[in-house]
Amino acid sequence: MTRIFYDTEFLENGRTIELISIALVTEDGREYYAVNADMPVDRILNHQWLKANVWPHLPLRGYKPGPLMNALQESDGALDRTDTRVKPHWVIANEVREFIVATPDPQLWAWYGAYDHVALAQLFGPMISLPDGIPMWTNDLRQECERLGNPELPEQSDGEHNALADARHNMVRAQFLDEIAGRVTGSQVRIEVHPDPPGIAAAIRDLRKNGLPPRA
């Protein structure tokens, strides 16, 4: 298995999730980062948290943050659509698919990854349209941290809510948890999820053949 650590930034309203940016990194040094040229900029700038924490990390022109400027001089700027990292949604979908499919036996890993997985999967439309070769789930580093007793993790020094910086830090978290897992088991191990836990497939076949067991 080859682990892909990723992060997304997105706008969500409880009904929809709209991609702002996405980054994927692997332990062999491959990286991908893109910003969605089709993002709803007006709605993002009307979302105070995204405006304060995500917008400043995007490729911008004319951005002048408020605290450092006279109120008359500050500006939200504009998305720099000439930046090569700013791409149409359909281009990002194709490039993300190519990145993942080119990875041998890929595993997806994220931090609190439920929404990240939806944001990634919806690059391709409904769930039924997920391309072959892309995992149908994301492994959660936060869950692995809980399993290992909630150790104190390395802090992210900068770039929080920049999708690429966050994806890189997810790899740092995973490698730190690898070391914890190795100490817990007495040997160095990698965090991996077996695609077919032993006995599960056989049990399912038995249920299909013999039906559900009678209630006690």
Side-chain angles (χ1 to χ4, degrees), residues 51 62-77:
K51 179 179 176 180
Y63 177 64
K64 298 176 182 178
L68 303 179
M69 304 295 295
N70 181 289
L72 296 177
Q73 295 177 306
E74 69 179 79
S75 171
D76 294 330

Side-chain angles (χ1 to χ4, degrees), residues 73-188:
Q73 295 177 306
E74 69 179 79
S75 171
D76 294 330
L79 189 65
D80 185 358
R81 298 178 186 277
T82 67
D83 191 295
T84 57
R85 297 167 294 179
V86 180
K87 306 177 182 186
H89 189 275
W90 68 269
V91 172
I92 296 174
N94 286 340
E95 292 179 347
V96 166
R97 182 188 68 245
E98 290 170 1
F99 186 98
I100 295 174
V101 170
T103 304
D105 296 322
Q107 282 187 347
L108 298 177
W109 285 87
W111 179 254
Y112 287 102
Y115 274 49
D116 292 294
H117 186 82
V118 175
L120 184 151
Q122 287 189 343
L123 281 169
F124 312 103
M127 183 174 67
I128 197 172
S129 299
L130 194 69
D132 291 341
I134 296 183
M136 296 185 69
W137 74 94
T138 289
N139 300 289
D140 201 319
L141 287 163
R142 181 64 188 88
Q143 184 175 13
E144 181 65 9
C145 183
E146 180 79 15
R147 186 183 75 84
L148 293 171
N150 277 322
E152 184 175 349
L153 298 178
E155 293 186 3
Q156 186 169 343
S157 58
D158 56 30
E160 191 173 4
H161 306 305
N162 174 313
L164 182 55
D166 289 353
R168 288 169 174 168
H169 190 64
N170 283 344
M171 183 166 63
V172 171
R173 287 174 171 137
Q175 291 171 346
F176 178 84
L177 291 172
D178 285 345
E179 295 179 5
I180 299 294
R183 291 201 294 268
V184 168
T185 61
S187 62
Q188 185 66 33

